[in-house]
Amino acid sequence: VTDQAAGLDPRPIGVFDSGIGGITVLKEVVRAFPHESFVYLGDTARLPYGSKSAETVRNYTVQNMKYLVSQNVKAIVVACNTASTQVFEDEYEGRPVYNVIDPGARLAVAATQNKKVAVLGTRATVRAGNYARKIKSLDESIEVLSQACPLFVPLAEEGWNEDPITNLIAFRYLQNLKAADVDTVVLGCTHYPLLKSAIARVFGNHVTLVDSGEAVARQLQADFDAGKLKPNSSSHPLVLKVALTDKSDHFETLSSELLKTVSSTVATFETVSVI
Ligand code: DGL
């Protein structure tokens, strides 16, 4: 019986981000789907996306999706909120495309009790306003407060997850939101889960932090259950490939550490061009 006849699809799932942030999403999908293969693209040569114009981010996003299609992926996960603001399609070249904003917005709506939600993101994500629109379309009584936190991305890339400087910067960005008494905070940039403890320290334990990685993993699970995505066949060896547009030993060390916590498959690294 062929894979196709058996309802199986051994092609990898493609995931991309500008840098290390999307590894927080990759981690969640690897944890949720341990029998799947993955190709991760980190556009390290062009990071950050969050300070760039919508047009430039759209250009990069299309190039990244084209690269993943060339790697014969069966689905594309846009593991970057900034890029997700410039993805207008549910499908690209016949593959389903998953953005991280819609599932994150749905989780936030389900979580809030006092109807006050904060969205943290890059400047580009906050400017695009997708979260506020999506949350309001689901429940217009929810008040959405947005805050750009541009210094969080370099702190996460640096690996300063537990550092007094990170705590100080988190406090500076977030104190007004805390004073506004939000009960749900969307980590609307995939780098931010790396700084979760510093962010949680500002808000306190009673506030729910919404992680886009967990949110998008649930979305994929629903599509596997519905048969829209076909599972990998167990006869194929698992692949966990990380492609970077600029080589970075620091990236390799950080991401290997993160992935080790969810998978025994050793990630392989290569440098690629997507242009
Ligand atoms: N990780 C990206 C996001 O989720 C942003 C990082 C960047 O600015 O490149 O928005």
Side-chain angles (χ1 to χ4, degrees), residues 207-228:
V207 168
T208 307
L209 300 184
V210 174
D211 180 322
S212 358
E214 289 165 21
V216 82
R218 290 189 199 195
Q219 190 67 47
L220 265 84
Q221 184 65 61
D223 282 358
F224 272 117
D225 292 345
K228 193 176 161 195

Side-chain angles (χ1 to χ4, degrees), residues 17-19 21-22 47-51 79-83 100 122 125 153 188-191:
D17 181 35
S18 56
L47 171 129
Y49 283 9
S51 57
C80 174
N81 290 268
T82 308
V100 279
T122 63
T125 298
V153 169
C189 170
T190 55
H191 280 72

Side-chain angles (χ1 to χ4, degrees), residues 48-60 82 85-86 124 127:
Y49 283 9
S51 57
K52 298 194 168 74
S53 70
E55 292 70 25
T56 296
V57 172
R58 172 67 188 169
N59 260 336
Y60 292 177
T82 308
T85 67
Q86 300 307 319
R127 189 179 57 220

